[in-house]
Coordinates of all heavy atoms in Angstrom, one line a residue:
W6 N 94.4 88.1 112.0 CA 95.5 88.8 111.5 C 96.2 89.5 112.6 O 97.5 89.6 112.7 CB 95.1 89.8 110.5 CG 94.3 89.4 109.3 CD1 94.3 88.1 108.8 CD2 93.5 90.2 108.4 NE1 93.5 88.0 107.7 CE2 93.0 89.2 107.5 CE3 93.0 91.5 108.5 CZ2 92.0 89.7 106.5 CZ3 92.1 91.9 107.5 CH2 91.6 91.0 106.5
T7 N 95.4 90.0 113.6 CA 95.9 90.7 114.8 C 96.7 89.8 115.6 O 97.9 90.1 116.1 CB 94.8 91.4 115.6 OG1 94.1 92.3 114.6 CG2 95.4 92.3 116.7
A8 N 96.2 88.6 115.7 CA 96.9 87.6 116.7 C 98.2 87.2 116.0 O 99.2 87.1 116.7 CB 96.0 86.4 116.8
V9 N 98.2 87.1 114.6 CA 99.5 86.6 114.0 C 100.5 87.9 114.1 O 101.7 87.7 114.3 CB 99.2 86.3 112.5 CG1 100.5 86.0 111.7 CG2 98.3 85.0 112.6
D10 N 99.9 89.0 113.9 CA 100.8 90.2 114.0 C 101.5 90.3 115.3 O 102.7 90.6 115.5 CB 100.0 91.6 113.9 CG 100.4 92.3 112.5 OD1 101.2 91.8 111.8 OD2 99.7 93.3 112.2
R11 N 100.7 89.9 116.4 CA 101.2 89.9 117.7 C 102.2 88.9 118.0 O 103.3 89.2 118.5 CB 100.1 89.8 118.8 CG 100.5 90.2 120.2 CD 99.3 90.1 121.1 NE 98.1 90.9 120.8 CZ 96.9 90.5 120.4 NH1 96.7 89.2 120.6 NH2 96.0 91.3 120.1
Y12 N 102.0 87.7 117.4 CA 102.9 86.7 117.4 C 104.3 87.0 116.8 O 105.4 86.9 117.4 CB 102.3 85.4 116.8 CG 103.4 84.3 116.4 CD1 103.9 83.5 117.4 CD2 103.8 84.2 115.1 CE1 104.8 82.5 117.0 CE2 104.7 83.3 114.7 CZ 105.2 82.4 115.7 OH 106.1 81.4 115.4
L13 N 104.2 87.6 115.5 CA 105.4 87.9 114.8 C 106.1 89.1 115.7 O 107.4 89.1 115.7 CB 105.0 88.4 113.4 CG 104.5 87.2 112.5 CD1 104.0 87.8 111.2 CD2 105.7 86.2 112.3
T14 N 105.4 90.0 116.1 CA 105.9 91.2 116.7 C 106.8 90.8 118.1 O 107.9 91.1 118.3 CB 104.9 92.2 117.0 OG1 104.4 92.7 115.9 CG2 105.6 93.5 117.8
D15 N 106.0 89.8 118.9 CA 106.7 89.4 120.0 C 107.9 88.6 119.7 O 108.9 88.7 120.5 CB 105.6 88.5 120.9 CG 104.5 89.3 121.4 OD1 104.7 90.5 121.4 OD2 103.5 88.7 121.9
L16 N 107.8 87.8 118.6 CA 109.0 87.0 118.3 C 110.3 87.8 117.6 O 111.4 87.5 118.1 CB 108.5 86.0 117.3 CG 109.3 84.7 117.1 CD1 109.2 83.9 118.4 CD2 108.6 83.8 115.9
L17 N 109.9 88.7 116.9 CA 111.0 89.3 116.0 C 111.3 90.7 116.1 O 112.2 91.3 115.7 CB 110.6 89.1 114.5 CG 110.4 87.7 114.1 CD1 110.0 87.5 112.6 CD2 111.8 87.0 114.2
V18 N 110.3 91.5 116.9 CA 110.5 92.9 117.1 C 110.8 93.1 118.6 O 109.9 93.0 119.5 CB 109.3 93.8 116.7 CG1 109.6 95.2 116.7 CG2 108.9 93.4 115.1
A19 N 112.1 93.4 118.9 CA 112.5 93.5 120.3 C 111.7 94.7 120.9 O 111.5 95.7 120.3 CB 113.9 93.7 120.4
P20 N 111.4 94.5 122.2 CA 110.8 95.5 123.0 C 111.7 96.8 122.9 O 112.9 96.6 123.0 CB 110.5 95.0 124.4 CG 110.7 93.6 124.3 CD 111.6 93.3 123.1
D21 N 111.1 97.9 122.8 CA 112.0 99.1 122.6 C 111.3 100.3 123.3 O 110.2 100.7 123.1 CB 112.1 99.5 121.2 CG 113.0 100.6 120.9 OD1 112.5 101.7 121.3 OD2 114.0 100.4 120.3
A22 N 111.9 100.7 124.5 CA 111.4 101.7 125.3 C 110.9 102.9 124.5 O 109.9 103.5 124.8 CB 112.3 102.1 126.4
A23 N 111.8 103.4 123.7 CA 111.5 104.8 123.0 C 110.3 104.5 122.1 O 109.5 105.5 121.9 CB 112.8 105.2 122.2
L24 N 110.3 103.5 121.3 CA 109.2 103.2 120.4 C 107.8 103.1 121.2 O 106.8 103.6 120.7 CB 109.4 102.0 119.5 CG 110.5 102.3 118.3 CD1 110.9 101.0 117.8 CD2 109.9 103.2 117.3
D25 N 107.9 102.3 122.2 CA 106.7 102.1 123.0 C 106.2 103.5 123.6 O 105.0 103.8 123.7 CB 107.0 101.2 124.2 CG 107.3 99.7 123.6 OD1 107.0 99.4 122.4 OD2 107.7 98.8 124.4
A26 N 107.2 104.2 124.1 CA 106.8 105.5 124.7 C 106.2 106.5 123.6 O 105.4 107.2 124.0 CB 108.2 106.1 125.3
A27 N 106.8 106.3 122.4 CA 106.3 107.2 121.3 C 104.8 106.9 121.0 O 104.0 107.8 120.9 CB 107.1 107.0 120.0
L28 N 104.4 105.7 121.0 CA 103.0 105.2 120.9 C 102.1 105.7 122.0 O 101.0 106.2 122.0 CB 102.9 103.8 120.6 CG 103.5 103.2 119.3 CD1 103.2 101.7 119.2 CD2 102.9 104.0 118.1
A29 N 102.7 105.5 123.2 CA 101.9 105.8 124.4 C 101.6 107.4 124.6 O 100.6 107.8 124.7 CB 102.7 105.4 125.7
A30 N 102.8 108.1 124.2 CA 102.6 109.6 124.2 C 101.7 110.2 123.1 O 100.9 111.0 123.4 CB 103.9 110.3 124.1
S31 N 101.7 109.6 122.0 CA 100.8 109.8 120.9 C 99.4 109.5 121.3 O 98.5 110.5 121.1 CB 101.2 109.0 119.6 OG 102.5 109.4 119.2
A32 N 99.1 108.5 121.8 CA 97.7 108.1 122.2 C 97.3 109.0 123.2 O 96.1 109.5 123.2 CB 97.7 106.6 122.8
A33 N 98.1 109.4 124.3 CA 97.8 110.3 125.4 C 97.5 111.7 124.9 O 96.6 112.3 125.4 CB 98.9 110.3 126.4
A34 N 98.1 112.0 123.8 CA 97.9 113.4 123.2 C 96.8 113.4 122.3 O 96.4 114.4 121.7 CB 99.2 113.9 122.5
G35 N 96.2 112.3 122.0 CA 94.9 112.2 121.2 C 95.2 112.0 119.8 O 94.3 112.2 118.9
L36 N 96.4 111.7 119.4 CA 96.7 111.5 118.0 C 96.1 110.2 117.4 O 95.9 109.3 118.2 CB 98.3 111.3 117.8 CG 99.1 112.7 117.5 CD1 98.8 113.7 118.6 CD2 100.5 112.4 117.3
P37 N 95.6 110.2 116.2 CA 95.0 109.1 115.6 C 96.0 107.9 115.5 O 97.2 108.2 115.3 CB 94.5 109.5 114.2 CG 95.3 110.6 113.9 CD 95.7 111.3 115.2
A38 N 95.6 106.7 115.8 CA 96.5 105.6 115.7 C 96.7 105.0 114.3 O 96.3 103.9 113.9 CB 96.0 104.4 116.7
I39 N 97.2 105.9 113.5 CA 97.4 105.5 112.1 C 98.9 105.5 111.7 O 99.2 105.5 110.5 CB 96.7 106.6 111.1 CG1 97.1 108.0 111.5 CG2 95.2 106.4 111.2 CD1 96.5 109.1 110.5
N40 N 99.7 105.2 112.7 CA 101.1 104.9 112.5 C 101.3 103.5 111.9 O 100.4 102.7 111.9 CB 101.9 104.9 113.8 CG 101.1 104.2 114.9 OD1 100.1 104.5 115.4 ND2 101.5 102.9 115.0
V41 N 102.4 103.2 111.3 CA 102.7 101.9 110.8 C 102.7 100.9 112.0 O 102.9 101.3 113.2 CB 104.0 101.8 110.0 CG1 104.0 102.7 108.8 CG2 105.2 102.2 110.9
T42 N 102.4 99.7 111.7 CA 102.5 98.6 112.7 C 104.0 98.4 113.0 O 104.9 98.7 112.3 CB 101.9 97.3 112.2 OG1 102.7 96.9 111.0 CG2 100.4 97.6 111.8
P43 N 104.2 97.8 114.2 CA 105.7 97.4 114.5 C 106.3 96.5 113.4 O 107.5 96.8 113.0 CB 105.5 96.5 115.8 CG 104.3 97.1 116.4 CD 103.3 97.4 115.3
N44 N 105.6 95.7 112.8 CA 106.2 94.8 111.7 C 106.6 95.7 110.5 O 107.7 95.5 109.9 CB 105.1 93.9 111.1 CG 104.8 92.8 112.1 OD1 105.4 92.7 113.2 ND2 103.7 92.0 111.9
L45 N 105.7 96.6 110.2 CA 106.0 97.5 109.0 C 107.1 98.4 109.4 O 108.0 98.8 108.6 CB 104.7 98.2 108.5 CG 104.9 99.0 107.3 CD1 105.6 98.3 106.1 CD2 103.7 99.6 106.7
G46 N 107.1 98.9 110.6 CA 108.2 99.7 111.2 C 109.6 99.0 111.0 O 110.6 99.6 110.5
K47 N 109.6 97.8 111.4 CA 110.8 97.0 111.3 C 111.2 96.7 109.9 O 112.3 96.8 109.5 CB 110.6 95.7 112.0 CG 111.9 94.8 112.0 CD 112.6 94.7 113.3 CE 113.9 93.9 113.1 NZ 114.0 92.8 114.1
L48 N 110.2 96.5 109.0 CA 110.5 96.4 107.6 C 111.1 97.6 107.0 O 112.1 97.6 106.2 CB 109.2 96.1 106.8 CG 109.4 95.9 105.3 CD1 110.3 94.7 105.0 CD2 108.0 95.8 104.5
L49 N 110.6 98.8 107.4 CA 111.1 100.0 106.9 C 112.7 100.2 107.4 O 113.5 100.6 106.6 CB 110.4 101.3 107.5 CG 108.9 101.4 106.8 CD1 108.2 102.5 107.6 CD2 108.9 101.8 105.4
F50 N 112.9 99.9 108.7 CA 114.2 99.8 109.1 C 115.1 98.9 108.3 O 116.3 99.3 108.0 CB 114.1 99.4 110.6 CG 115.4 99.1 111.3 CD1 116.2 100.0 111.8 CD2 115.8 97.7 111.3 CE1 117.5 99.7 112.4 CE2 117.1 97.4 111.9 CZ 117.9 98.3 112.4
L51 N 114.6 97.6 108.1 CA 115.4 96.7 107.3 C 115.7 97.2 105.9 O 116.9 97.1 105.4 CB 114.7 95.3 107.3 CG 114.7 94.6 108.6 CD1 113.7 93.4 108.4 CD2 116.1 94.1 109.1
L52 N 114.6 97.7 105.2 CA 114.9 98.2 103.8 C 115.9 99.4 103.9 O 116.7 99.4 103.0 CB 113.5 98.7 103.3 CG 112.5 97.6 102.9 CD1 111.2 98.2 102.6 CD2 113.1 96.6 101.9
A53 N 115.7 100.3 104.8 CA 116.6 101.4 104.9 C 118.1 100.9 105.0 O 119.0 101.4 104.6 CB 116.2 102.5 105.9
R54 N 118.2 99.9 106.0 CA 119.6 99.4 106.2 C 120.1 98.6 105.0 O 121.3 98.8 104.7 CB 119.5 98.3 107.4 CG 119.5 99.0 108.8 CD 120.9 99.4 109.2 NE 121.8 98.4 109.5 CZ 121.9 97.9 110.7 NH1 121.0 98.4 111.7 NH2 122.7 96.8 111.0
M55 N 119.3 97.8 104.3 CA 119.7 97.2 103.2 C 120.1 98.1 102.1 O 121.1 97.9 101.3 CB 118.6 96.3 102.6 CG 118.2 95.1 103.4 SD 116.8 94.3 102.7 CE 116.0 93.5 103.9
Q56 N 119.5 99.3 102.1 CA 119.7 100.3 101.1 C 120.9 101.1 101.5 O 121.6 101.7 100.5 CB 118.4 101.2 101.1 CG 118.4 102.4 100.1 CD 118.3 101.9 98.7 OE1 118.2 100.7 98.5 NE2 118.3 102.8 97.8
G57 N 121.5 100.9 102.6 CA 122.6 101.7 103.0 C 122.3 103.2 103.1 O 123.2 104.0 102.8
A58 N 121.0 103.5 103.4 CA 120.6 104.8 103.3 C 121.4 105.8 104.2 O 121.5 105.5 105.5 CB 119.1 104.9 103.5
R59 N 121.7 106.9 103.7 CA 122.5 107.9 104.5 C 121.6 109.2 104.6 O 121.6 109.9 105.5 CB 123.8 108.3 103.9 CG 124.8 107.3 103.9 CD 126.2 107.8 103.4 NE 126.7 108.8 104.4 CZ 127.3 108.4 105.6 NH1 127.5 107.3 105.8 NH2 127.7 109.4 106.4
N60 N 120.6 109.3 103.6 CA 119.7 110.5 103.6 C 118.2 110.0 103.3 O 118.0 109.3 102.3 CB 120.1 111.5 102.5 CG 121.4 112.2 102.9 OD1 121.4 113.0 103.8 ND2 122.5 111.9 102.2
I61 N 117.4 110.2 104.3 CA 116.1 109.7 104.1 C 115.1 110.9 104.1 O 115.2 111.8 104.9 CB 115.7 108.8 105.3 CG1 116.6 107.5 105.2 CG2 114.3 108.4 105.3 CD1 116.5 106.5 106.4
L62 N 114.0 110.8 103.3 CA 112.9 111.8 103.3 C 111.6 111.1 103.7 O 111.3 109.9 103.1 CB 112.8 112.5 101.9 CG 111.6 113.4 101.7 CD1 111.8 114.5 102.7 CD2 111.6 113.8 100.3
E63 N 110.9 111.7 104.6 CA 109.6 111.1 105.0 C 108.5 112.1 104.8 O 108.6 113.3 105.3 CB 109.6 110.7 106.5 CG 108.3 110.0 106.9 CD 108.4 109.6 108.4 OE1 108.6 110.4 109.3 OE2 108.1 108.4 108.6
F64 N 107.4 111.7 104.3 CA 106.1 112.5 104.1 C 105.2 112.0 105.2 O 104.7 110.8 105.0 CB 105.5 112.3 102.7 CG 106.3 113.0 101.6 CD1 107.4 112.2 101.1 CD2 106.0 114.1 101.0 CE1 108.1 112.8 100.0 CE2 106.6 114.6 99.9 CZ 107.7 114.0 99.4
G65 N 104.8 112.8 106.2 CA 103.8 112.4 107.2 C 104.4 111.8 108.4 O 104.8 110.6 108.5
T66 N 104.6 112.6 109.4 CA 105.5 112.3 110.6 C 104.5 111.6 111.7 O 104.8 110.7 112.4 CB 106.1 113.6 111.2 OG1 106.6 114.3 110.2 CG2 107.2 113.2 112.3
L67 N 103.3 112.3 111.9 CA 102.4 111.9 112.9 C 103.2 112.1 114.3 O 103.7 113.1 114.5 CB 101.8 110.5 112.7 CG 100.6 110.1 113.6 CD1 99.3 111.1 113.4 CD2 100.2 108.7 113.4
G68 N 103.2 111.1 115.0 CA 104.0 111.2 116.4 C 105.4 110.7 116.2 O 106.0 110.5 117.3
G69 N 105.8 110.5 115.0 CA 107.3 110.1 114.9 C 107.6 108.6 115.0 O 108.9 108.3 115.0
Y70 N 106.6 107.8 115.0 CA 106.9 106.3 115.2 C 107.7 105.8 114.0 O 108.7 105.2 114.2 CB 105.5 105.6 115.3 CG 105.7 104.1 115.7 CD1 106.1 103.7 116.9 CD2 105.4 103.1 114.6 CE1 106.3 102.3 117.2 CE2 105.6 101.7 115.0 CZ 106.0 101.3 116.2 OH 106.2 100.1 116.5
S71 N 107.1 105.9 112.7 CA 108.0 105.4 111.7 C 109.3 106.2 111.5 O 110.3 105.7 111.1 CB 107.1 105.6 110.3 OG 106.7 106.9 110.1
T72 N 109.2 107.6 112.0 CA 110.5 108.3 111.9 C 111.6 107.6 112.8 O 112.8 107.6 112.3 CB 110.2 109.8 112.4 OG1 109.0 110.2 111.9 CG2 111.3 110.6 112.1
I73 N 111.2 107.3 113.9 CA 112.2 106.7 114.7 C 112.7 105.4 114.2 O 114.0 105.2 114.2 CB 111.7 106.4 116.2 CG1 111.3 107.8 116.8 CG2 112.6 105.6 117.2 CD1 110.5 107.6 118.1
W74 N 111.9 104.5 113.7 CA 112.4 103.3 113.0 C 113.4 103.7 111.9 O 114.5 102.9 111.8 CB 111.1 102.6 112.4 CG 110.4 101.6 113.3 CD1 109.2 101.6 113.8 CD2 111.0 100.4 113.8 NE1 109.0 100.5 114.6 CE2 110.0 99.7 114.7 CE3 112.2 99.7 113.8 CZ2 110.2 98.5 115.3 CZ3 112.3 98.5 114.4 CH2 111.4 97.9 115.2
L75 N 113.0 104.6 111.1 CA 113.9 104.9 110.0 C 115.2 105.6 110.4 O 116.3 105.3 109.9 CB 113.1 105.8 109.0 CG 112.1 105.1 108.2 CD1 111.2 106.2 107.3 CD2 112.7 104.2 107.0

Side-chain angles (χ1 to χ4, degrees):
W6 303 339
T7 302
V9 173
D10 248 2
R11 196 173 307 118
Y12 162 77
L13 293 172
T14 301
D15 289 350
L16 202 61
L17 300 174
V18 184
D21 183 292
L24 285 167
D25 293 347
L28 291 183
S31 299
L36 270 53
I39 51 175
N40 52 279
V41 296
T42 59
N44 294 348
L45 183 52
K47 180 104 184 245
L48 178 67
L49 293 171
F50 167 84
L51 290 171
L52 290 170
R54 280 285 286 272
M55 289 175 206
Q56 181 70 1
R59 297 187 64 81
N60 290 291
I61 296 177
L62 175 63
E63 179 181 60
F64 293 77
T66 319
L67 189 65
Y70 185 73
S71 56
T72 315
I73 294 171
W74 271 113
L75 285 168

